[in-house]
Amino acid sequence: QSRTYSLASWRSNLNLSPGFAALSPSFAVTKNPLHALPSAPALPSAGRSFFSWLGGQKDGASKDFSQEEAKKAIDGGGILLDVRRIDEFYTGHAKIAVNIPHEVLGARINEVHKLTQNDFQKAIVVHCRSGARSAVAKRILEENGYKNVLNLGGISDVMATFEMA
């Protein structure tokens, strides 16, 4: 036997804010309300890994070029973009790196436009701690028109390539 509950009724029992209920639809409950929640949408690229879907990279790859190529791109006028959180950035970063966390990169894309002087061909080398967030950042930059975005991977690759602050 199923009953339909609105999240507002659950909110009153759980002492949640009114805004929480306003953002959530009603749902049907059988025995456990959590079993009735909608499932996450499937990735549009069935058969490929999550990171491959995000960064267009070979499955299992966290970077798409070598440390030497990163150094050459930066020496040629490119930008090193650290997309880790600010607290991670201050635990150690390359002296030449600019920090824009990947979560806010889309909202702060104008800062990237200023750094590149609206040159959408300028090399942008992105990195994070492991390479996963930089794959997301690479996708965001490419969706905003940048043509030469390179995912260096993780901080260990940066430490091996650039002088640290």
Side-chain angles (χ1 to χ4, degrees):
Q1 177 181 12
S2 292
R3 292 180 51 190
T4 301
Y5 294 91
S6 73
L7 208 49
S9 65
W10 283 97
R11 177 187 50 81
S12 63
N13 292 335
L14 298 174
N15 196 22
L16 298 173
S17 69
F20 180 80
L23 295 174
S24 304
S26 297
F27 55 90
V29 177
T30 53
K31 293 181 181 178
N32 183 339
L34 295 179
H35 293 163
L37 293 177
S39 61
L43 291 176
S45 53
R48 294 173 55 195
S49 74
F50 179 69
F51 295 116
S52 172
W53 176 73
L54 284 177
Q57 303 166 359
K58 295 177 185 168
D59 288 350
S62 63
K63 63 181 182 177
D64 52 19
F65 66 106
S66 71
Q67 295 168 353
E68 294 78 26
E69 290 170 303
K71 182 86 169 129
K72 186 176 179 181
I74 298 299
D75 290 346
I79 295 163
L80 181 61
L81 186 60
D82 186 330
V83 297
R84 296 176 297 158
R85 294 185 322 265
I86 190 78
D87 60 311
E88 292 176 288
F89 181 75
Y90 283 113
T91 61
H93 61 274
K95 285 185 175 182
I96 61 170
V98 175
N99 178 242
I100 303 177
H102 85 287
E103 300 96 344
V104 296
L105 182 57
R108 293 174 58 185
I109 198 69
N110 285 336
E111 292 177 44
V112 178
H113 295 331
K114 287 180 186 177
L115 291 168
T116 63
Q117 299 173 337
N118 290 320
D119 180 358
F120 292 90
Q121 299 298 324
K122 182 172 269 207
I124 302 174
V125 177
V126 294
H127 82 88
C128 60
R129 184 184 53 81
S130 66
R133 290 176 285 178
S134 53
V136 174
K138 177 181 177 177
R139 173 68 54 100
I140 292 168
L141 291 166
E142 288 173 340
E143 287 173 355
N144 279 277
Y146 288 95
K147 306 292 183 208
N148 194 10
V149 184
L150 308 165
N151 181 2
L152 179 56
I155 189 67
S156 60
D157 295 302
V158 173
M159 291 170 61
T161 310
F162 300 101
E163 186 178 349
M164 301 299 284

